[in-house]
Structures are given as C-alpha cells and as structure tokens.
Amino acid sequence: MSTLRDLAEEHTALRPADIDHLHRIAGDWQLLSDLSFADLLLWVPVDGDGTFLCVAQVRPTTAPTAYLDDQVGRIVGGAEVAHLEVAYRQGRIWREGDPVWYGDVPARHEAIPVRLRTGDGEAGEVIAVVGRDTNLSTARTPSQLELNYLTTADDLAQMIADGTFPPPRHPGETTSAPRVGDGLVRLDANGKVTYASPNAQSAYRRLGYASHLVGEDLAKLHRRLAGDPLEGTDAGNAVLAALRGEAPPRREIDARGATMLTRALPLMPAGVPIGALVLVRDITEVRRRDRALITKDATIREIHHRVKNNLQTVAALLRLQARRVSMPEARVALEESVRRVASIALVHETLSMSSDEAVEFDGIVDRVASAATEVAATEVSVGMRRRGAFGVLPAEIATSLVMVLNELLLNAVEHGFPSAEEEAAAPPVDVPRPEAGVSAPRPEVVVSAHRARKQLHVTVTDNGRGLPEQFDAERGGNLGLQIVRALVTGELRGTIELRNGADGGTEAAIVVPLARGTTDRLTGRAGPL
C-alpha cells in the first residue's frame, strides 16, 4: 500500500512542509480518535475540482469503527464530499447534516480543516481536511467520562483547525504512550484538576496519593509525590509549561516503588489557553523489566570479562610451560596452543565491552592478523590486508570463526612462502624473470569477506608457492588445518575448500550460514590489517 507521502506527491501539489505537517497529524491523531470515539480520515484535495483523496485513516480503540474497509487511496467527489468541501473552502469545522449510512452502519459526519501555521506564527491556508466519522449504532446517553472525552476532543479539533495541534515532537519520543485509555486528567486554566479518569486515579494511587484528584493543583501534587526534588520539579514544571501553551517533553515520576509516565498537552482552542490535558500511564512493570535487563547485561559482560581473564591465565601458564620444555616439537605445540587460547580471549574481551551477545568482528580480525605476522616462526616479512567487512557477528559464530582465521593466517604466513634457505636449496626452475625496473610482488595475505543470501563468504588468499602437488584437501594438512575443518563443518555448519589460486598461491574459501536475526550492518571499507 502507498504511504501518505507517496499518495500526496502523486496526486496533489502540496509542498514538502505541508506533507510533513500531515505526517505529524497522522502520528499523533490516535489521541483525537479515541477521545472522539470516531474514525478519523485525512483527506487532501485533488486538482481543485472538488474531489478528495484519503491519504490516512485511524480507527478508535474506545468505540466500534464506522468503516469495515480501509479507505486509504480512495478518491471521492460530488455530494459525498460536500462537508469536506465546506470545511476546505470556508476554513471552519463542519458539523451540520443528518447521519449517513455505510451499509448497515449509521454514521455522523464532521469535517475539520487542517492548517499549517506560517513562520511568524499566523494561521496559514487550509491544506487538508480531517473527516471525523462516528458510528451511531451504539449511541446512548454519554457518561461523565465520555462527556469529558468529547469536550476535550472538540478542543483538540479546533486546535487542528488553528494549526496548533499536534505540537512539535521532541527528539527520541514516540507517540505510542501514554494513550487515552491509560489515564486522562483534565486541568483548568489555573492548573486545578477538573476531571480524572478511573485509570488515572489508579495510577496516582500507585504513587501513594489515595484522595480524589478533582480540585488538586497537579503541578504541586507532582512535586509532593516525587521523592527526588529535581524529578518532582521537572514533572511539576511540565504541567505549568502546558498551561502556558507549551508542549513539554514526557516526564516520569517515581514514588513508593512505582513509576508513572506523564505527557502534558496544552488546550488552547482559538488561541486561548483554557487549561491542559495530562495523559498518565503506570509503567512500573516496564521499568522493573528494564532494570532487570540492565542487571542481566552487566552480569553477562562481567562473565565474559572473567572468561577472558581465565583464558589469559591459561595462555600464560602454557607459555611458562613452553619455556621449560626442552623438546622443540613440544615447545612449538605449546606455543600454538597459546595463540589459539589468546584468539578466543579476544572475542570474550570484545563481548565484555558490548551490551549484547554480538561483536564487531572486523577489529578482531585485524588484531588476529597482526598477531599472526608478529609471532609466526618465519624470517619472511609478510603483509596483511583485509578486503570487505565482516560486520557484526553473534558470539557463537565469532568464537569459532576467530580460531579458524587464526589457524589459516598462521598457516599462510609460516608455510605459504619459502625461506631464503629453501629457495637456495630448491632445484632451478625456468621461471620468467620480472621485467627491468619491476620488483617481485611482496609476500602478502588477503582476508576477504562479504555477505550474500544469509551466508558469510570468507576467503584467505596468499601469493606464495601454493599447495604441494600431492596435497589431499580432505585429509591432508597439519593439526591446525584439521582444527579448521572440524570447526567450519561442525561448529559453524559451513563448508571450506582449499585450492590453488588462479594467479598462484593458496586460497581457502569458507561459507558460513548466518542465522535469520544476524545483524547485516557492514562498513564496506577495505584497508590494511
């Protein structure tokens, strides 16, 4: 389905600022719909020929809808939109006329002109019309709650016609809470409560206020209830700001172990401040779960920190043991184990600084590659380069993949390039010499990564001497390559292929399936490792 912006740009000549204002209305008009017990439809004129296009619709959560079918995208004209034409041309709210029928549903029409105020604060031209259509099939004598709801709805409707509703949205705020059904308090121009819904009364009881709210100065009450003077002042000042015609950000009040979210809105139909509307919601359980999650995250990070410390202790013990071993083969095996343990410790170190069980893997690859060139038992100077980006990986993939890359990089550095002694001892081979002035390529290992179809594709390529002629890609290789195969096919459930590169050297190609929820945020940059 087309969006509000798509429909408006395709069928109307509305300016971007006009469309942005319509977006703000559609983002905040659930409040008006619930207070009105009515469907709201946003109509824009098409070509100035008396036809209107519906670009947005919202149904009330407090009453049955007047429309079973979605009206967005519908273009109507003639007598059916006479009320919209009056509101649009005359710039006033239209409430005349008899009920109309939609199938078996009787409905009452109203039309509210939409204005966008100019830069100097003056009311601008009418740019659209909000249709307020009420299902009359359940009409009855309204209760006190319904009367207060409807009175407040009429004030907000007039503010839409004036161009003062909805208020500007504060950064980071959503429009989903509080809602009308969570709790509603209406104030007069002096800040005294004239009406409080039952849910609002219950929310204040959770904070420790057992008396009835009607007649109370709400700003002073907020200051009394909050245990923290600063917090109470913020919540109280928000009420006072709304009484002055401002739209303050949402505020929370904590008292007696309970938390209440408040949103204060000015009521100023025809530009005259007559009071304020305060929506409240008991969010005690939400904040309790938030605190529990924060505690859990901190605990998980502490566990990763301790695992990292323990792994570093194990690596230190292995390193100490390697120094005391006289057999060269045993010393090499212990040193390899030190590097494997250290690579896993890198993942846990990164997780200990993260708020979730995922890591930015590119930094880990860079550190593992740097370590491989520093500790490799070879006299050949090998350069490292990364192409592409791994992005964010979950911990269960990162832990195994870092060991795989550690083994492949070490194997490429230590065994991919012949030493000076090996080159001198090798039988002469008729190899074309580089042209004059062109130096031989520098020994280099390149790690490449990209994602495609929920798979991570990784290649480790060197420009060395390639695989031996009798090398068995399935069973051949040292312990490191056996570890690589076991991790890729077992823990990572992927595939690995060892082969000679098209331009010489060796290439290890790995494909790892990614879980459905794995983050696909990539930097896409390449650089030296």
Side-chain angles (χ1 to χ4, degrees), residues 319-499:
R319 193 177 294 111
L320 181 62
Q321 184 65 39
R323 292 172 183 170
R324 294 176 175 269
V325 171
S326 58
M327 296 178 59
E329 295 83 357
R331 185 182 302 112
V332 170
L334 288 172
E335 290 175 350
E336 289 179 351
S337 298
V338 168
R339 291 193 290 268
R340 288 163 186 152
V341 172
S343 66
I344 301 175
L346 276 178
V347 175
H348 287 280
E349 180 181 5
T350 306
L351 287 169
S352 69
M353 296 182 288
S354 174
S355 60
D356 53 19
E357 286 293 287
V359 295
E360 285 279 3
F361 200 69
D362 294 327
I364 294 177
V365 175
D366 294 349
R367 294 172 66 181
V368 168
S370 177
T373 58
E374 292 175 1
V375 304
T378 178
E379 59 188 40
V380 180
S381 177
V382 180
M384 290 282 182
R385 186 160 55 91
R386 172 166 54 84
R387 184 183 298 131
F390 290 81
V392 178
L393 294 178
E396 61 269 19
I397 292 179
T399 303
S400 298
L401 187 57
V402 71
M403 286 192 64
V404 169
L405 292 177
N406 179 65
E407 297 295 336
L408 291 175
L409 290 171
L410 281 172
N411 195 70
V413 172
E414 293 185 347
H415 306 293
F417 304 94
S419 64
E421 294 181 358
E422 290 175 326
E423 288 185 340
V429 179
D430 188 12
V431 178
R433 293 185 178 183
E435 296 180 7
V438 179
S439 60
R442 178 195 176 192
E444 185 181 53
V445 178
V446 179
V447 181
S448 304
H450 72 277
R451 300 190 184 198
R453 298 181 180 179
K454 297 181 181 179
Q455 292 179 329
L456 177 64
H457 296 257
V458 182
T459 58
V460 178
T461 308
D462 65 60
N463 58 353
R465 55 188 168 188
L467 296 172
E469 292 184 3
Q470 304 301 322
F471 181 80
D472 186 344
E474 295 297 327
R475 297 181 178 81
N478 54 20
L479 175 61
L481 290 180
Q482 294 175 18
I483 292 175
V484 167
R485 290 194 192 91
L487 289 173
V488 171
T489 59
E491 297 295 326
L492 298 175
R493 299 180 181 179
T495 60
I496 180 171
E497 180 183 358
L498 294 173
R499 60 195 178 219

Side-chain angles (χ1 to χ4, degrees), residues 67 139 144 146 154 183 187 438 461 473 477 479 497:
Y67 299 97
Q144 184 185 12
E146 292 168 336
D154 288 342
L187 308 180
V438 179
T461 308
L479 175 61
E497 180 183 358

Side-chain angles (χ1 to χ4, degrees), residues 16-27:
D18 299 332
I19 298 176
D20 289 341
H21 184 63
L22 298 184
H23 264 291
R24 286 194 295 273
I25 290 177

Side-chain angles (χ1 to χ4, degrees), residues 198-231:
N199 283 346
Q201 192 72 51
S202 297
Y204 279 93
R205 279 200 189 92
R206 291 288 301 274
L207 296 178
Y209 184 76
S211 302
H212 204 277
L213 285 169
V214 173
E216 281 288 336
D217 186 315
L218 196 65
K220 294 180 179 178
L221 177 61
H222 284 180
R223 290 168 178 164
R224 293 201 310 267
L225 289 175
D228 185 346
L230 179 61
E231 183 180 284

